[in-house]
Amino acid sequence: MFYYVEGTVALIEQELAVIDCGGVGYACRTSQNTCAALQCGKKARLYTYLSVRESACDLYGFAEMEELNCFKMLLSVSGVGPKAALAILSSAPPSQLALSIITGDTKFLTRAPGIGKKIAQRICLELKDKLAKEQESIGADSGLVMTAAAAPEGSANAVSEAVSALMVLGYSQAEAMQAMEGLPVSDDLSAEDLIRACLKKLAAQ
């Protein structure tokens, strides 16, 4: 129903931002990362997700589309609701979170309040399985292998992890591999460095 709301930031509280759009204040539940990027009295645009339940109708908003995509991806995991998804997103930026999911770093996920080892394992397992199925359905494995093969031996795994992490953030594998083209890939470049560079490149397009 809502793609984004844009207006003046009227109020910022913990995991809540109110955006004044033409005299109407939209209360958007959000992460601490988005709250930190906002300033009261300044213009802002939040990409939104409307959650409709029997007992409530809540609007969620995020400063970056990647964070919104991560939020929706987390909600697709059984047992993960909006509150848990926000707690996870508040613990790290989207790029770092996506990489922890791809690498199966459950310890990193349990840093979020209320996220135990079992739910962290479920998040990694279900999302990695979902990505694998998406890659298989589009026959993308060969393209990913070619991208990794073109990289130095020590960084091939970093390239593969970076492409998968970008898919968690909502990009197609084709978009991720295109963003990877032309980057100065070296043995000492980490997957997180590659993700940051790709996001910067994608944002400039």
Side-chain angles (χ1 to χ4, degrees), residues 66-106:
E66 290 85 2
E67 194 170 23
L68 172 61
N69 288 332
C70 261
F71 179 73
K72 291 192 288 188
M73 186 78 80
L74 287 169
L75 291 184
S76 71
V77 177
S78 57
V80 177
K83 185 177 180 180
L86 280 188
I88 294 170
L89 287 170
S90 292
S91 67
S95 58
Q96 198 172 359
L97 173 60
L99 184 59
S100 70
I101 291 171
I102 294 304
T103 58
D105 188 356
T106 57

mmCIF file of all heavy atoms in Angstrom, residues 66-106:
data_model
loop_
_atom_site.group_PDB
_atom_site.id
_atom_site.type_symbol
_atom_site.label_atom_id
_atom_site.label_comp_id
_atom_site.label_asym_id
_atom_site.label_seq_id
_atom_site.Cartn_x
_atom_site.Cartn_y
_atom_site.Cartn_z
ATOM 1 N N GLU A 66 17.942 -1.455 1.240
ATOM 2 C CA GLU A 66 18.590 -2.701 1.631
ATOM 3 C C GLU A 66 18.121 -3.162 3.014
ATOM 4 O O GLU A 66 17.950 -4.350 3.259
ATOM 5 C CB GLU A 66 20.117 -2.533 1.634
ATOM 6 C CG GLU A 66 20.745 -2.377 0.263
ATOM 7 C CD GLU A 66 20.719 -0.936 -0.220
ATOM 8 O OE1 GLU A 66 20.248 -0.044 0.528
ATOM 9 O OE2 GLU A 66 21.168 -0.686 -1.341
ATOM 10 N N GLU A 67 17.906 -2.202 3.916
ATOM 11 C CA GLU A 67 17.457 -2.561 5.254
ATOM 12 C C GLU A 67 16.017 -3.082 5.217
ATOM 13 O O GLU A 67 15.673 -4.038 5.912
ATOM 14 C CB GLU A 67 17.579 -1.367 6.201
ATOM 15 C CG GLU A 67 17.446 -1.752 7.667
ATOM 16 C CD GLU A 67 17.792 -0.627 8.623
ATOM 17 O OE1 GLU A 67 17.726 0.554 8.223
ATOM 18 O OE2 GLU A 67 18.118 -0.924 9.774
ATOM 19 N N LEU A 68 15.183 -2.462 4.400
ATOM 20 C CA LEU A 68 13.813 -2.945 4.230
ATOM 21 C C LEU A 68 13.811 -4.364 3.659
ATOM 22 O O LEU A 68 13.059 -5.233 4.114
ATOM 23 C CB LEU A 68 13.020 -2.014 3.307
ATOM 24 C CG LEU A 68 11.630 -2.499 2.882
ATOM 25 C CD1 LEU A 68 10.722 -2.692 4.098
ATOM 26 C CD2 LEU A 68 10.990 -1.524 1.898
ATOM 27 N N ASN A 69 14.645 -4.613 2.664
ATOM 28 C CA ASN A 69 14.717 -5.947 2.067
ATOM 29 C C ASN A 69 15.171 -6.990 3.093
ATOM 30 O O ASN A 69 14.674 -8.121 3.108
ATOM 31 C CB ASN A 69 15.668 -5.940 0.867
ATOM 32 C CG ASN A 69 15.078 -5.212 -0.326
ATOM 33 O OD1 ASN A 69 13.866 -5.152 -0.487
ATOM 34 N ND2 ASN A 69 15.927 -4.634 -1.163
ATOM 35 N N CYS A 70 16.121 -6.610 3.958
ATOM 36 C CA CYS A 70 16.572 -7.505 5.015
ATOM 37 C C CYS A 70 15.432 -7.799 5.986
ATOM 38 O O CYS A 70 15.252 -8.934 6.430
ATOM 39 C CB CYS A 70 17.731 -6.868 5.784
ATOM 40 S SG CYS A 70 19.358 -7.447 5.276
ATOM 41 N N PHE A 71 14.667 -6.759 6.304
ATOM 42 C CA PHE A 71 13.532 -6.893 7.221
ATOM 43 C C PHE A 71 12.526 -7.902 6.659
ATOM 44 O O PHE A 71 12.083 -8.822 7.356
ATOM 45 C CB PHE A 71 12.876 -5.523 7.412
ATOM 46 C CG PHE A 71 11.671 -5.516 8.316
ATOM 47 C CD1 PHE A 71 11.812 -5.656 9.689
ATOM 48 C CD2 PHE A 71 10.393 -5.346 7.794
ATOM 49 C CE1 PHE A 71 10.702 -5.638 10.529
ATOM 50 C CE2 PHE A 71 9.281 -5.326 8.616
ATOM 51 C CZ PHE A 71 9.436 -5.466 9.999
ATOM 52 N N LYS A 72 12.176 -7.755 5.391
ATOM 53 C CA LYS A 72 11.211 -8.665 4.768
ATOM 54 C C LYS A 72 11.766 -10.082 4.662
ATOM 55 O O LYS A 72 11.031 -11.066 4.826
ATOM 56 C CB LYS A 72 10.810 -8.121 3.388
ATOM 57 C CG LYS A 72 9.987 -6.853 3.466
ATOM 58 C CD LYS A 72 9.341 -6.465 2.145
ATOM 59 C CE LYS A 72 10.335 -5.944 1.145
ATOM 60 N NZ LYS A 72 9.654 -5.402 -0.073
ATOM 61 N N MET A 73 13.059 -10.189 4.408
ATOM 62 C CA MET A 73 13.688 -11.505 4.325
ATOM 63 C C MET A 73 13.646 -12.210 5.686
ATOM 64 O O MET A 73 13.342 -13.402 5.783
ATOM 65 C CB MET A 73 15.138 -11.365 3.861
ATOM 66 C CG MET A 73 15.860 -12.662 3.610
ATOM 67 S SD MET A 73 15.442 -13.440 2.049
ATOM 68 C CE MET A 73 16.458 -12.497 0.911
ATOM 69 N N LEU A 74 13.906 -11.445 6.747
ATOM 70 C CA LEU A 74 13.863 -12.029 8.093
ATOM 71 C C LEU A 74 12.450 -12.472 8.458
ATOM 72 O O LEU A 74 12.261 -13.505 9.105
ATOM 73 C CB LEU A 74 14.373 -11.005 9.111
ATOM 74 C CG LEU A 74 15.883 -10.746 9.109
ATOM 75 C CD1 LEU A 74 16.226 -9.524 9.951
ATOM 76 C CD2 LEU A 74 16.643 -11.963 9.618
ATOM 77 N N LEU A 75 11.448 -11.702 8.047
ATOM 78 C CA LEU A 75 10.061 -12.065 8.341
ATOM 79 C C LEU A 75 9.640 -13.355 7.640
ATOM 80 O O LEU A 75 8.685 -14.003 8.069
ATOM 81 C CB LEU A 75 9.112 -10.929 7.913
ATOM 82 C CG LEU A 75 9.159 -9.626 8.708
ATOM 83 C CD1 LEU A 75 8.098 -8.655 8.205
ATOM 84 C CD2 LEU A 75 8.971 -9.880 10.201
ATOM 85 N N SER A 76 10.341 -13.716 6.578
ATOM 86 C CA SER A 76 10.009 -14.943 5.858
ATOM 87 C C SER A 76 10.464 -16.196 6.607
ATOM 88 O O SER A 76 10.092 -17.316 6.257
ATOM 89 C CB SER A 76 10.636 -14.931 4.457
ATOM 90 O OG SER A 76 12.054 -15.095 4.527
ATOM 91 N N VAL A 77 11.272 -16.003 7.652
ATOM 92 C CA VAL A 77 11.757 -17.133 8.456
ATOM 93 C C VAL A 77 10.714 -17.489 9.507
ATOM 94 O O VAL A 77 10.208 -16.614 10.211
ATOM 95 C CB VAL A 77 13.091 -16.781 9.146
ATOM 96 C CG1 VAL A 77 13.558 -17.931 10.027
ATOM 97 C CG2 VAL A 77 14.149 -16.446 8.104
ATOM 98 N N SER A 78 10.392 -18.747 9.616
ATOM 99 C CA SER A 78 9.380 -19.179 10.581
ATOM 100 C C SER A 78 9.825 -18.843 12.004
ATOM 101 O O SER A 78 10.951 -19.132 12.402
ATOM 102 C CB SER A 78 9.130 -20.686 10.452
ATOM 103 O OG SER A 78 10.327 -21.422 10.630
ATOM 104 N N GLY A 79 8.930 -18.222 12.747
ATOM 105 C CA GLY A 79 9.237 -17.879 14.132
ATOM 106 C C GLY A 79 9.844 -16.511 14.325
ATOM 107 O O GLY A 79 10.088 -16.093 15.463
ATOM 108 N N VAL A 80 10.099 -15.790 13.230
ATOM 109 C CA VAL A 80 10.676 -14.438 13.326
ATOM 110 C C VAL A 80 9.595 -13.411 13.010
ATOM 111 O O VAL A 80 9.078 -13.354 11.894
ATOM 112 C CB VAL A 80 11.866 -14.249 12.359
ATOM 113 C CG1 VAL A 80 12.390 -12.817 12.445
ATOM 114 C CG2 VAL A 80 12.977 -15.233 12.681
ATOM 115 N N GLY A 81 9.230 -12.626 14.003
ATOM 116 C CA GLY A 81 8.236 -11.576 13.820
ATOM 117 C C GLY A 81 8.886 -10.216 13.673
ATOM 118 O O GLY A 81 10.117 -10.097 13.728
ATOM 119 N N PRO A 82 8.088 -9.164 13.493
ATOM 120 C CA PRO A 82 8.628 -7.813 13.320
ATOM 121 C C PRO A 82 9.535 -7.364 14.459
ATOM 122 O O PRO A 82 10.564 -6.723 14.215
ATOM 123 C CB PRO A 82 7.368 -6.948 13.235
ATOM 124 C CG PRO A 82 6.312 -7.863 12.715
ATOM 125 C CD PRO A 82 6.619 -9.186 13.340
ATOM 126 N N LYS A 83 9.160 -7.679 15.711
ATOM 127 C CA LYS A 83 9.963 -7.256 16.859
ATOM 128 C C LYS A 83 11.356 -7.867 16.816
ATOM 129 O O LYS A 83 12.371 -7.176 17.028
ATOM 130 C CB LYS A 83 9.259 -7.631 18.164
ATOM 131 C CG LYS A 83 9.968 -7.121 19.414
ATOM 132 C CD LYS A 83 9.178 -7.466 20.674
ATOM 133 C CE LYS A 83 9.884 -6.947 21.919
ATOM 134 N NZ LYS A 83 9.116 -7.283 23.158
ATOM 135 N N ALA A 84 11.430 -9.158 16.531
ATOM 136 C CA ALA A 84 12.723 -9.848 16.453
ATOM 137 C C ALA A 84 13.536 -9.336 15.266
ATOM 138 O O ALA A 84 14.753 -9.138 15.376
ATOM 139 C CB ALA A 84 12.509 -11.352 16.330
ATOM 140 N N ALA A 85 12.866 -9.104 14.138
ATOM 141 C CA ALA A 85 13.557 -8.597 12.947
ATOM 142 C C ALA A 85 14.168 -7.227 13.215
ATOM 143 O O ALA A 85 15.303 -6.946 12.812
ATOM 144 C CB ALA A 85 12.595 -8.531 11.769
ATOM 145 N N LEU A 86 13.434 -6.355 13.913
ATOM 146 C CA LEU A 86 13.965 -5.028 14.247
ATOM 147 C C LEU A 86 15.155 -5.134 15.190
ATOM 148 O O LEU A 86 16.129 -4.384 15.059
ATOM 149 C CB LEU A 86 12.877 -4.160 14.882
ATOM 150 C CG LEU A 86 11.865 -3.494 13.955
ATOM 151 C CD1 LEU A 86 10.985 -2.528 14.759
ATOM 152 C CD2 LEU A 86 12.548 -2.735 12.826
ATOM 153 N N ALA A 87 15.077 -6.045 16.147
ATOM 154 C CA ALA A 87 16.185 -6.225 17.089
ATOM 155 C C ALA A 87 17.456 -6.639 16.347
ATOM 156 O O ALA A 87 18.550 -6.138 16.635
ATOM 157 C CB ALA A 87 15.817 -7.273 18.136
ATOM 158 N N ILE A 88 17.311 -7.532 15.366
ATOM 159 C CA ILE A 88 18.460 -7.991 14.583
ATOM 160 C C ILE A 88 19.010 -6.854 13.733
ATOM 161 O O ILE A 88 20.223 -6.626 13.679
ATOM 162 C CB ILE A 88 18.062 -9.185 13.698
ATOM 163 C CG1 ILE A 88 17.714 -10.390 14.573
ATOM 164 C CG2 ILE A 88 19.187 -9.544 12.728
ATOM 165 C CD1 ILE A 88 17.090 -11.549 13.818
ATOM 166 N N LEU A 89 18.122 -6.108 13.080
ATOM 167 C CA LEU A 89 18.565 -5.003 12.226
ATOM 168 C C LEU A 89 19.212 -3.881 13.029
ATOM 169 O O LEU A 89 20.059 -3.153 12.505
ATOM 170 C CB LEU A 89 17.376 -4.455 11.430
ATOM 171 C CG LEU A 89 16.880 -5.342 10.294
ATOM 172 C CD1 LEU A 89 15.557 -4.814 9.745
ATOM 173 C CD2 LEU A 89 17.915 -5.405 9.182
ATOM 174 N N SER A 90 18.814 -3.736 14.284
ATOM 175 C CA SER A 90 19.388 -2.694 15.126
ATOM 176 C C SER A 90 20.791 -3.052 15.603
ATOM 177 O O SER A 90 21.526 -2.189 16.080
ATOM 178 C CB SER A 90 18.494 -2.431 16.343
ATOM 179 O OG SER A 90 17.268 -1.836 15.955
ATOM 180 N N SER A 91 21.164 -4.311 15.470
ATOM 181 C CA SER A 91 22.451 -4.772 15.987
ATOM 182 C C SER A 91 23.597 -4.591 14.991
ATOM 183 O O SER A 91 24.765 -4.671 15.377
ATOM 184 C CB SER A 91 22.372 -6.245 16.386
ATOM 185 O OG SER A 91 22.177 -7.079 15.253
ATOM 186 N N ALA A 92 23.268 -4.349 13.709
ATOM 187 C CA ALA A 92 24.314 -4.235 12.695
ATOM 188 C C ALA A 92 23.760 -3.630 11.415
ATOM 189 O O ALA A 92 22.554 -3.719 11.162
ATOM 190 C CB ALA A 92 24.907 -5.611 12.388
ATOM 191 N N PRO A 93 24.624 -3.025 10.585
ATOM 192 C CA PRO A 93 24.162 -2.532 9.291
ATOM 193 C C PRO A 93 23.788 -3.696 8.383
ATOM 194 O O PRO A 93 24.258 -4.822 8.585
ATOM 195 C CB PRO A 93 25.386 -1.771 8.751
ATOM 196 C CG PRO A 93 26.549 -2.341 9.471
ATOM 197 C CD PRO A 93 26.046 -2.720 10.830
ATOM 198 N N PRO A 94 22.937 -3.451 7.381
ATOM 199 C CA PRO A 94 22.473 -4.539 6.507
ATOM 200 C C PRO A 94 23.590 -5.361 5.869
ATOM 201 O O PRO A 94 23.485 -6.588 5.787
ATOM 202 C CB PRO A 94 21.668 -3.786 5.438
ATOM 203 C CG PRO A 94 21.202 -2.554 6.120
ATOM 204 C CD PRO A 94 22.315 -2.163 7.037
ATOM 205 N N SER A 95 24.660 -4.717 5.420
ATOM 206 C CA SER A 95 25.742 -5.453 4.747
ATOM 207 C C SER A 95 26.389 -6.463 5.678
ATOM 208 O O SER A 95 26.657 -7.610 5.292
ATOM 209 C CB SER A 95 26.799 -4.476 4.216
ATOM 210 O OG SER A 95 27.340 -3.690 5.266
ATOM 211 N N GLN A 96 26.625 -6.067 6.921
ATOM 212 C CA GLN A 96 27.250 -6.964 7.897
ATOM 213 C C GLN A 96 26.302 -8.083 8.292
ATOM 214 O O GLN A 96 26.711 -9.233 8.471
ATOM 215 C CB GLN A 96 27.668 -6.153 9.124
ATOM 216 C CG GLN A 96 28.698 -6.838 10.004
ATOM 217 C CD GLN A 96 29.228 -5.919 11.085
ATOM 218 O OE1 GLN A 96 28.846 -4.762 11.182
ATOM 219 N NE2 GLN A 96 30.115 -6.449 11.914
ATOM 220 N N LEU A 97 25.025 -7.747 8.411
ATOM 221 C CA LEU A 97 24.017 -8.747 8.759
ATOM 222 C C LEU A 97 23.894 -9.795 7.659
ATOM 223 O O LEU A 97 23.863 -11.006 7.923
ATOM 224 C CB LEU A 97 22.667 -8.068 8.985
ATOM 225 C CG LEU A 97 21.458 -8.987 9.186
ATOM 226 C CD1 LEU A 97 21.670 -9.883 10.392
ATOM 227 C CD2 LEU A 97 20.189 -8.166 9.346
ATOM 228 N N ALA A 98 23.833 -9.334 6.406
ATOM 229 C CA ALA A 98 23.708 -10.260 5.276
ATOM 230 C C ALA A 98 24.889 -11.210 5.214
ATOM 231 O O ALA A 98 24.734 -12.412 4.968
ATOM 232 C CB ALA A 98 23.590 -9.472 3.973
ATOM 233 N N LEU A 99 26.081 -10.692 5.471
ATOM 234 C CA LEU A 99 27.275 -11.531 5.439
ATOM 235 C C LEU A 99 27.254 -12.564 6.561
ATOM 236 O O LEU A 99 27.645 -13.720 6.347
ATOM 237 C CB LEU A 99 28.529 -10.657 5.555
ATOM 238 C CG LEU A 99 29.872 -11.386 5.434
ATOM 239 C CD1 LEU A 99 29.971 -12.100 4.088
ATOM 240 C CD2 LEU A 99 31.032 -10.401 5.600
ATOM 241 N N SER A 100 26.761 -12.191 7.733
ATOM 242 C CA SER A 100 26.702 -13.144 8.850
ATOM 243 C C SER A 100 25.733 -14.278 8.539
ATOM 244 O O SER A 100 25.960 -15.428 8.944
ATOM 245 C CB SER A 100 26.283 -12.422 10.140
ATOM 246 O OG SER A 100 24.930 -12.022 10.088
ATOM 247 N N ILE A 101 24.663 -13.979 7.808
ATOM 248 C CA ILE A 101 23.705 -15.019 7.426
ATOM 249 C C ILE A 101 24.336 -15.983 6.427
ATOM 250 O O ILE A 101 24.223 -17.210 6.554
ATOM 251 C CB ILE A 101 22.430 -14.380 6.838
ATOM 252 C CG1 ILE A 101 21.649 -13.638 7.939
ATOM 253 C CG2 ILE A 101 21.534 -15.442 6.186
ATOM 254 C CD1 ILE A 101 20.504 -12.795 7.419
ATOM 255 N N ILE A 102 25.019 -15.437 5.437
ATOM 256 C CA ILE A 102 25.638 -16.261 4.396
ATOM 257 C C ILE A 102 26.745 -17.144 4.961
ATOM 258 O O ILE A 102 26.912 -18.300 4.564
ATOM 259 C CB ILE A 102 26.189 -15.372 3.263
ATOM 260 C CG1 ILE A 102 25.045 -14.676 2.534
ATOM 261 C CG2 ILE A 102 27.031 -16.180 2.288
ATOM 262 C CD1 ILE A 102 23.988 -15.615 1.985
ATOM 263 N N THR A 103 27.512 -16.612 5.907
ATOM 264 C CA THR A 103 28.625 -17.377 6.479
ATOM 265 C C THR A 103 28.197 -18.249 7.646
ATOM 266 O O THR A 103 29.010 -18.971 8.219
ATOM 267 C CB THR A 103 29.742 -16.423 6.942
ATOM 268 O OG1 THR A 103 29.208 -15.489 7.899
ATOM 269 C CG2 THR A 103 30.331 -15.654 5.766
ATOM 270 N N GLY A 104 26.896 -18.161 8.030
ATOM 271 C CA GLY A 104 26.404 -18.982 9.127
ATOM 272 C C GLY A 104 26.921 -18.553 10.487
ATOM 273 O O GLY A 104 27.060 -19.374 11.400
ATOM 274 N N ASP A 105 27.192 -17.261 10.639
ATOM 275 C CA ASP A 105 27.732 -16.732 11.893
ATOM 276 C C ASP A 105 26.591 -16.517 12.889
ATOM 277 O O ASP A 105 26.123 -15.394 13.099
ATOM 278 C CB ASP A 105 28.473 -15.423 11.619
ATOM 279 C CG ASP A 105 29.223 -14.899 12.836
ATOM 280 O OD1 ASP A 105 29.108 -15.519 13.912
ATOM 281 O OD2 ASP A 105 29.916 -13.877 12.716
ATOM 282 N N THR A 106 26.142 -17.590 13.525
ATOM 283 C CA THR A 106 25.026 -17.497 14.467
ATOM 284 C C THR A 106 25.401 -16.707 15.713
ATOM 285 O O THR A 106 24.539 -16.071 16.328
ATOM 286 C CB THR A 106 24.558 -18.905 14.882
ATOM 287 O OG1 THR A 106 25.659 -19.637 15.435
ATOM 288 C CG2 THR A 106 24.015 -19.674 13.684
#
